Every structure is written in C-alpha cells, then in structure tokens.
C-alpha cells in the first residue's frame, strides 16, 4: 500500500504544478494580448476594405457618359457626357460623384437635382462667393450669373496653376469674356463697360500678359478679386473709389506712395469722392503706355473732367489748340497738362514740391523751351481774357479788340447793305440799260493801265500769302469744329501747319518790304515835284500834294467828301459820285494792310519767338499777343472775304469777278463810268495816251481768270466755314 500511496502523492504534485504552470502561461497570454490589441485593431482596420459609396461612379457613368443634349430643330444633338479618362485626370478624379452631388442617394435619380456643391471642401471660397456680385445675383434669381463651374469647369477641373486651366492667368481673360463680352448679357445685367475683356486685351496689361507671356502682369482677378468680386460702388470692393489706388499699388508700389502724397491722394485720404484715382486718368480696361501719342492726346480731356474751366482756357493757348487738332493717335509736340503739373506728383502751386512752384517753374518751362528766362514763366497758361479782376490788362486788350471787330463789321456791314440795296433797285428799275453798260465795259477794246506789272506781282503775293495764313491759322481759332480738324489732317498736322504759317508770314513781310522799297524809290524819283521849278526850293504845299494827292494811297479830305456823296446816292439824295484813281474804300483797304501787318506781324513775331521777346518783356505779353493776333486775323479774314469781295467782285456791275488786278487794265467805258475824275485829270495833263495800252492780255485772260476764281472761291469757302464756326460757338 505504501508504494501506491507514494505514487498517488507524486501524481497530485505533478498535476498541481502543471495546473499552476498552465494558469501562469494563460495569464501571460492575456497580458500579451492586452498589450498588442491596439496594433492588431489598426492592422485589421487597414486590411478592411473601404466602405462603398451610396452610388458608385460606375453606375453614374452608365448614363452620363453617353449623355446628349438636344439643340435647335434640324441640328444634331450635342454630346455633353462625362469622359471617364478626363475626369480621372482632374483634381476630383479620386472623389465619388455623390461627394459633390450630395443630394443623390440612389441611382437612377430624379431628373432635376441640385447643382454640385463645393462647400464641403472649399468652405472659405464658397463663403466669399456668396457675398460677391455673382453670388448675390444667384440669390436674387439670376441664373445666368457666373457660378463655380462657369469659371473652373465641371468634370475636367485641373489645378489653377496648370496652363490649360480656364482660370490660369493666360486664360482668365477669355473665361471672363464669355460673359462680359456677350452683348446680350451685358445689356441684361447692365454691366458698366461693354467688351471689357476685349478692351483689356488691347491694353498695356493685356499685351504684356497675352502677347509677351509675362505672367507677372495683372489679369482680371488681380484687380477685381477672385471669389470676392463685388460692384465698384461697394465699399469693400477691390475696385471701389476708395480702394482702387491700393489695388493698383500692389504692383505699382512706388507710384502709390507718390500719389498718396499728392493733392489728389490727399483728397482721397479725406474721403472726398472728387479726388481722382488711377482709373480716372488711366481708365480701367484700356490702360496704355503713358508715353504714347494717343495717351497724351486724351490726357487733357481726362484732366478736364474735373478741371473744366482750366481746360477751357488752356484750349485758348497754342498748346491746347494744337493738341485738340492733332491727327488721330499722333499727339502734337506741345505741352499737355502733365508736362507742367506733373503725373502722380501733382501738388498745389504754393507747395515747394510742385513743378510750378517758384523754385521749380523755370526748370519745368525749360524742358521744352531751352534757354527760357524768368520772365518767360510769367506766361499765363490758363488766362481768361474776360476776367477783368485777375487779368486786368489782358481783359482791356480783349475788350478793345472785340469793340474794333464788332465796330468794323457793323460799320462796313451797313455800308455794304445800303450799296447792295441801291444797286439792286437801279438794276430792277432799268435792267436793260444796266446790262448794256456792263457788257460795253467788258467789250471795250480801249484800255488803260491801272496797275503796273510790279503792283500785280505784289498783289499776287498778298493773295497767296493771305490765303495760306488763313488756311493754316483759322483752324486754330476754331479748333472745336470738324472742318478745322479736316484741314489740319489734310495739311499733315499741327507741325506742318505751323511751318506753312511761318512761311506765309515770311511772304507777308517780304511783299511789305518790297512795297516800301518801291514806294521809297518812287518818292525819290519824283523828288523834283516837291521843289518850285522857278526857285528850286522845297515847298510845304508841294509836299502835301505829293503825300495826299489823287495818285497817292494816303487818305485825304476828298475821301470824306466822296464818302458823304456816296451815302447820299445810297438814299437817292444825290447823283452817283465820280472818283479819281483811288476810291475811299480802296484807300481804306490799303491802310488796313499797314495796320494788319503791324498788329498781326508784331504779335505774330512774339508768338513765334517768345523766348527772345521775354528777355525784355514780361511773359504775360505772350497772352496779349495771342489775343491781338487771333482777333486781328479774324477781322482781316472777315473783312477781305465780305466787304472787300463785295466792293471788288460782288457788285452787280462787277459780278462775278473783276479781273483788273490780274490784267492791270481798265476799259475807257469803266473809267468814264466810275473814275471820270481820273480820266479828266489825265486828259487835262496830256498823260492819257501814256496810259493807253493794247497788248496780249486776251491770250492770258483765261489763265488769269481761272487763277482768280480759284483764289476767290477759296476765300468764299473759308468765309462760310468761319461764319459756321462762330455761329455754332454762339449757339453752343
């Protein structure tokens, strides 16, 4: 029994040990399992397949890959399906369709579904878009307003910086232009500027970006924003009046600082809406290089939108007139507003930083007028001749010239009307006798010399130079008319017109000098006439007769008697007076040339050589010279083309033209009809035969007459244009 018991004891011990060991091992396994549980869970999760979408993309493509859209009747259907390969390459290629089309829960679905939503991924952009002009338009029910897909695309969206993205910088203009260059949409949504994208393409920004590929150049989003585009009248818009300088300043940093310090920038800083900003001068989508002729041509109009009164009187100067008459896209070589006042650095004249301050104005003028002196700077670029308070001397000169102009036209206008009425009355009373007398004086072959060849040559110089001066000068006075612009364009612009005008002035001084020389020679040749033939002494009475006799062009007391007698005849109170070699109106015309050459000539020289004359004259004399030159030229042109033409050509007995100045001949019939005193004097002195001629005039008559009609017709056309310009200015 001892052995079995001993064996049983050993068995129990072994069993107890094994059981204990098993418990220990199981406890260790539990501890190990507890420690590795997280890793095991992660591994299991990783190995677990993704949860399937509610609607797989494959089910969507079953229908939408082969989707077609009906067009107008008779046209093939348009394929609008989704290309799987294109979608796979897009930025959304790994997403499920229902991630964007979140309202779709099953396939097939209703035909009407909500647009794809972007907010789940692009929350910030969606929030900004909701308050933009495009987003607000959608909220108001405008279905044609731009949405996310309008700009970015639909199932083919690629990264923004990818070159084929519709919102890549090089493509953005075309994308925006789909709506903003659409006339129908522009009208329906009352867009401010039509064809904005098209205009931008021609601008300096568009050319830099689209032609030269400079992606640093601004595109639509750089100025208007991306998802936060708002109307320019909204205060927080990038293009609002208050923010436009800041928007431009993101690129033009230095210029923004200069502008902010200027008088314009200070107005903007104070919140003054009248303060001009970048777009007021440079425009919004038509920005061009400031150094182009076209920009310079339009710059004055930009300034004039605010400074209308200053622009008006700037136009009164040669600078303004030449600028207004410049050929298209070719600015005249004269000063524009910014040449004197500055570009972005405009300051009040009282500010030492201003280009027109006392310290800097001479340097500013010398940019164009090399060698200008301090007196030159006294020229008033915006002087108003009607402002007697600020420009007293100029105002008095202007009033004098106006009175002279109005008085001369009123006096000779009445004289001409009375003469015309009297002539018409006589013609209607006895037209047969009148016509016979006219025919006889034109067919009479007994001719006498009235003008020498030299005098006719001088008159030809007078005619050609005068017409040249009027053609090149009157467009400046009436710069605001279309005909003035046409004439300057035909001539070749302000520079060519200026050169031709100077040439006409040289011709004027030339014929005037020739006449004075011929006059001095004539007086010297006839110097014996002032001496008594018996005593050989010079007598005052003989000098007086030589200066004021019937062969002299100087006016005399006889002219007054002739004038009175002529006016009596106008009213039927006396016989028609007979005249000597020169009539009172011819002597007036002659003296008018002296007056005109003195007034127009001297003032013209001051305008031609302002730097020279301002060495000893104040600069405001240029303003006075301009008023005198302009008004006296108008007086001369108006007088010649009306009263002189009537006295010489428009009278019934002379119509349509008196050719005496070209032929130099006057018939005996005409002498007896109008200048009988001269005829009788020549007969009494025995000199009549000395004046009698018979030459080859008939052979030259056609050519001379044709030239005469050309000059005559040119004068009449210019007269009509001048009257039209004056009337249109008064009515305006």
């Amino acid at each position: 029994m001892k052995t079995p018991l001993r064996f049983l004891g050993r068995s129990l011990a072994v069993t107890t040990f094994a059981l204990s060991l098993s418990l220990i091992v199981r406890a260790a396994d539990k501890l190990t399992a507890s420690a590795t549980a997280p890793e095991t869970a992660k591994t299991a999760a990783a190995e677990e397949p993704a949860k399937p979408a509610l609607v797989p993309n494959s089910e969507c493509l079953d229908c939408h890959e082969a989707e077609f859209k009906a067009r107008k009747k008779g046209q093939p259907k348009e394929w609008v399906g989704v290309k799987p390969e294109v979608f796979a390459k897009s930025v959304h290629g790994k997403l499920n369709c229902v991630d964007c089309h979140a309202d779709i829960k099953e396939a097939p679905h209703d035909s009407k579904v909500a647009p794809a939503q972007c907010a789940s991924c692009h929350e910030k952009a969606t929030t900004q878009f909701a308050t933009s002009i495009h987003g607000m338009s959608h909220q108001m029910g405008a279905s044609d307003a731009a949405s996310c897909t309008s700009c970015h695309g639909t199932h083919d969206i690629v990264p923004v910086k990818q070159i084929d993205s519709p919102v890549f910088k090089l493509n953005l203009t075309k994308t925006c232009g789909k709506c903003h260059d659409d006339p129908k949409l522009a009208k329906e949504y009352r867009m401010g500027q039509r064809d904005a994208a098209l205009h931008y393409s021609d601008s300096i920004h568009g050319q830099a970006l689209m032609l030269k590929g400079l992606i640093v150049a601004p595109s639509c989003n750089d100025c208007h924003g991306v998802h936060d585009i708002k109307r320019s009248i909204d205060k927080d818009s990038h293009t609002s009046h208050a923010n436009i300088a800041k928007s431009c300043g993101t690129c033009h940093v230095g210029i923004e600082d200069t502008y902010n310090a200027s008088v314009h920038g200070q107005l903007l800083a104070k919140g003054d809406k009248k303060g001009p900003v970048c777009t007021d001068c440079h425009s919004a989508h038509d920005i061009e290089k400031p150094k182009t002729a076209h920009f310079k041509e339009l710059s004055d109009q930009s300034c004039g939108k605010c400074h209308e009164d200053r622009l008006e009187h700037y136009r009164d100067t040669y600078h303004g007139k030449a600028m207004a008459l410049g050929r298209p896209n070719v600015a005249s070589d004269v000063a524009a507003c910014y040449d004197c006042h500055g570009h972005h650095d405009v300051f009040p004249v009282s500010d030492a930083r201003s280009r027109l301050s006392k310290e800097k104005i001479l340097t500013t003028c010398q940019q164009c007028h090399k060698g200008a002196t301090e007196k030159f700077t006294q020229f008033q670029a915006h002087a108003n001749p009607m402002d007697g308070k600020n420009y007293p001397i100029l105002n008095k000169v202007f009033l004098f010239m106006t009175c002279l102009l109005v008085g001369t036209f009123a006096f000779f206008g009445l004289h001409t009307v009375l003469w015309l009425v009297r002539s018409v009355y006589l013609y209607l009373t006895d037209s047969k006798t009148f016509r016979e007398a006219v025919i006889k004086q034109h067919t009479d072959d007994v001719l006498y010399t009235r003008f020498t060849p030299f005098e006719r040559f001088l008159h030809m110089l007078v005619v050609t130079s005068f017409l040249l001066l009027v053609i090149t000068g009157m467009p400046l006075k009436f710069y605001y008319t279309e005909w003035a612009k046409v004439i300057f364009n035909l001539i070749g612009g302000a520079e060519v017109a200026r050169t031709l005008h100077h040439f006409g002035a040289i011709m004027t001084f030339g014929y005037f000098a020739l006449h004075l020389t011929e006059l001095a020679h004539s007086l010297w040749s006839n110097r014996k006439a002032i001496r008594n033939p018996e005593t050989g002494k010079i007598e005052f009475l003989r000098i007086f007769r030589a200066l004021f006799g019937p062969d002299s062009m100087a006016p005399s007391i006889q002219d007054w008697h002739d004038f009175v007698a002529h006016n009596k005849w106008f009213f039927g109170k006396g016989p028609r007076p007979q005249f000597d070699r020169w009539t009172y109106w011819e002597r007036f015309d002659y003296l008018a040339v002296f007056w005109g050459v003195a007034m127009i000539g001297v003032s013209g020289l001051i305008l031609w050589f302002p730097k020279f004359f301002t060495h000893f004259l104040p600069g405001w004399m240029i303003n006075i010279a301009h008023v005198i030159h302009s008004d006296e030229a108008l007086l001369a042109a108006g007088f010649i083309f009306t009263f002189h033409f009537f006295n010489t050509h428009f009278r019934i007995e002379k119509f349509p033209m008196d050719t005496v100045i070209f032929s130099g001949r006057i018939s005996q019939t005409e002498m007896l009809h109008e200048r009988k005193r001269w005829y009788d004097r020549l007969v009494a002195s025995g000199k009549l035969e000395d004046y009698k001629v018979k030459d080859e005039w008939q052979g030259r008559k056609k050519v001379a007459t044709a030239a005469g009609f050309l000059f005559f017709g040119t004068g009449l056309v210019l007269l009509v244009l001048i009257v039209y310009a004056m009337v249109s200015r008064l009515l305006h």
Side-chain angles (χ1 to χ4, degrees), residues 185-239:
L185 287 177
K187 182 178 180 181
E188 181 179 353
Y189 289 95
R190 300 178 182 178
M191 297 181 187
Q193 181 174 350
R194 310 291 175 86
D195 300 325
L198 183 62
H199 285 268
Y200 166 83
S201 300
D202 292 330
S203 72
I204 184 174
H205 292 154
Q207 295 287 307
L209 179 65
M210 302 175 69
L211 289 185
K212 299 180 180 179
L214 301 175
I215 59 173
V216 294
S219 189
C220 310
N221 62 305
D222 292 298
C223 301
H224 294 277
V226 183
H227 301 102
D228 57 344
I229 301 173
K230 297 184 178 181
R231 299 176 302 170
S232 59
I233 60 174
D234 291 336
K235 291 184 178 180
D236 53 348
S237 169
H238 295 283
T239 57

Side-chain angles (χ1 to χ4, degrees), residues 83-122:
K83 294 182 178 180
E85 66 277 12
V86 174
F87 176 72
K89 293 180 180 179
S90 73
V91 294
H92 298 148
K94 294 183 179 181
L95 297 179
N96 290 303
C97 301
V98 293
D99 290 335
C100 298
H101 301 280
D103 60 327
I104 299 176
K105 305 300 181 183
E106 59 181 359
H109 54 77
D110 294 337
S111 59
K112 292 184 178 180
V113 295
Q117 61 82 30
C118 305
S120 59
C121 298
H122 308 285

Side-chain angles (χ1 to χ4, degrees), residues 16 150 218 250 277 417 486 492 593 609 612 620 687 717 725:
T16 302
S150 302
T250 56
V277 293
V417 170
V486 170
V593 175
F609 304 104
F612 169 76
W620 47 261
K687 297 180 179 180
V717 171

Side-chain angles (χ1 to χ4, degrees), residues 274 276-284 298-309 311 337:
K274 294 182 180 179
V277 293
C278 312
T279 52
D280 291 312
C281 302
H282 294 278
S283 79
L298 299 179
S299 63
D300 298 335
Q301 299 177 26
S302 298
C303 298
K305 288 184 293 186
C306 297
H307 306 283
E308 185 176 358
D309 58 328
L311 176 64
C337 303

Side-chain angles (χ1 to χ4, degrees), residues 450-470:
R450 182 154 181 239
F451 295 108
T452 64
F454 183 75
E455 290 169 339
R456 282 142 53 195
F457 168 71
L458 288 183
H459 188 270
M460 185 64 69
L461 292 180
V462 172
V463 171
T464 52
S465 63
F466 185 78
L467 289 178
L468 180 60
L469 290 171
V470 173

Side-chain angles (χ1 to χ4, degrees), residues 66-381:
E67 187 177 1
F68 289 87
K69 181 180 179 181
R71 290 185 176 180
K72 294 181 180 180
K73 187 177 181 180
Q75 294 183 351
K77 292 182 178 181
E78 178 184 5
W79 182 79
V80 293
V82 180
K83 294 182 178 180
E85 66 277 12
V86 174
F87 176 72
K89 293 180 180 179
S90 73
V91 294
H92 298 148
K94 294 183 179 181
L95 297 179
N96 290 303
C97 301
V98 293
D99 290 335
C100 298
H101 301 280
D103 60 327
I104 299 176
K105 305 300 181 183
E106 59 181 359
H109 54 77
D110 294 337
S111 59
K112 292 184 178 180
V113 295
Q117 61 82 30
C118 305
S120 59
C121 298
H122 308 285
E123 183 179 358
K124 181 179 178 181
T126 305
T127 303
Q128 289 180 336
F129 178 81
T131 59
S132 71
I133 180 63
H134 296 142
M136 294 297 292
S137 296
H138 276 289
Q139 294 178 32
M140 296 171 63
S143 60
D144 288 329
S147 62
C148 303
T149 58
S150 302
C151 302
H152 293 278
T154 53
H155 303 95
D156 55 349
I157 299 176
V158 295
V160 172
K161 293 186 178 181
Q162 189 168 311
I163 196 169
D164 57 341
S165 170
V167 291
F168 181 67
K169 211 164 192 180
L170 292 174
N171 305 325
L172 192 57
T173 305
K174 183 178 179 181
T175 300
C176 296
K178 288 189 298 184
C179 296
H180 290 273
D181 284 353
D182 187 323
K184 182 180 178 181
L185 287 177
K187 182 178 180 181
E188 181 179 353
Y189 289 95
R190 300 178 182 178
M191 297 181 187
Q193 181 174 350
R194 310 291 175 86
D195 300 325
L198 183 62
H199 285 268
Y200 166 83
S201 300
D202 292 330
S203 72
I204 184 174
H205 292 154
Q207 295 287 307
L209 179 65
M210 302 175 69
L211 289 185
K212 299 180 180 179
L214 301 175
I215 59 173
V216 294
S219 189
C220 310
N221 62 305
D222 292 298
C223 301
H224 294 277
V226 183
H227 301 102
D228 57 344
I229 301 173
K230 297 184 178 181
R231 299 176 302 170
S232 59
I233 60 174
D234 291 336
K235 291 184 178 180
D236 53 348
S237 169
H238 295 283
T239 57
S240 69
H241 185 268
N243 295 330
I244 192 67
K246 183 179 179 181
S247 296
C248 296
T250 56
C251 296
H252 305 281
V253 181
I255 292 178
E256 182 191 7
D257 294 337
T258 303
Y259 166 80
N260 288 336
S262 72
V263 64
H264 295 152
Q266 291 300 303
L267 287 174
L268 183 65
K270 295 176 182 178
D272 192 335
K273 293 183 178 181
K274 294 182 180 179
V277 293
C278 312
T279 52
D280 291 312
C281 302
H282 294 278
S283 79
H285 302 99
D286 298 294
I287 301 173
E288 57 184 318
K289 292 181 180 179
K291 292 185 178 181
T292 62
H294 184 258
F295 179 84
K296 183 176 183 179
E297 181 187 9
L298 299 179
S299 63
D300 298 335
Q301 299 177 26
S302 298
C303 298
K305 288 184 293 186
C306 297
H307 306 283
E308 185 176 358
D309 58 328
R310 311 301 285 171
L311 176 64
E312 178 183 357
H313 299 298
Y314 164 78
R315 293 288 194 218
D316 290 336
T317 66
Y318 177 75
H319 290 159
K321 294 174 185 291
M323 188 68 71
L325 291 172
R327 289 180 294 169
N329 301 321
V330 181
S332 300
D333 188 19
V334 293
C337 303
Y338 59 75
D339 289 311
C340 302
H341 294 276
H343 308 82
H344 305 99
D345 56 341
V346 180
F347 296 98
V349 176
S350 57
D351 193 317
R353 294 172 294 177
S354 171
R355 299 189 185 190
L356 296 178
S357 63
K358 292 181 179 180
E359 297 81 5
K360 296 183 178 180
I361 187 172
L362 181 59
T363 304
T364 300
C365 293
Q366 288 176 342
Q367 290 178 148
C368 300
H369 304 277
K370 306 295 183 183
T373 62
E374 197 70 38
K375 289 183 177 181
F376 183 90
T377 64
Q378 297 175 19
F379 168 70
Q380 300 293 331

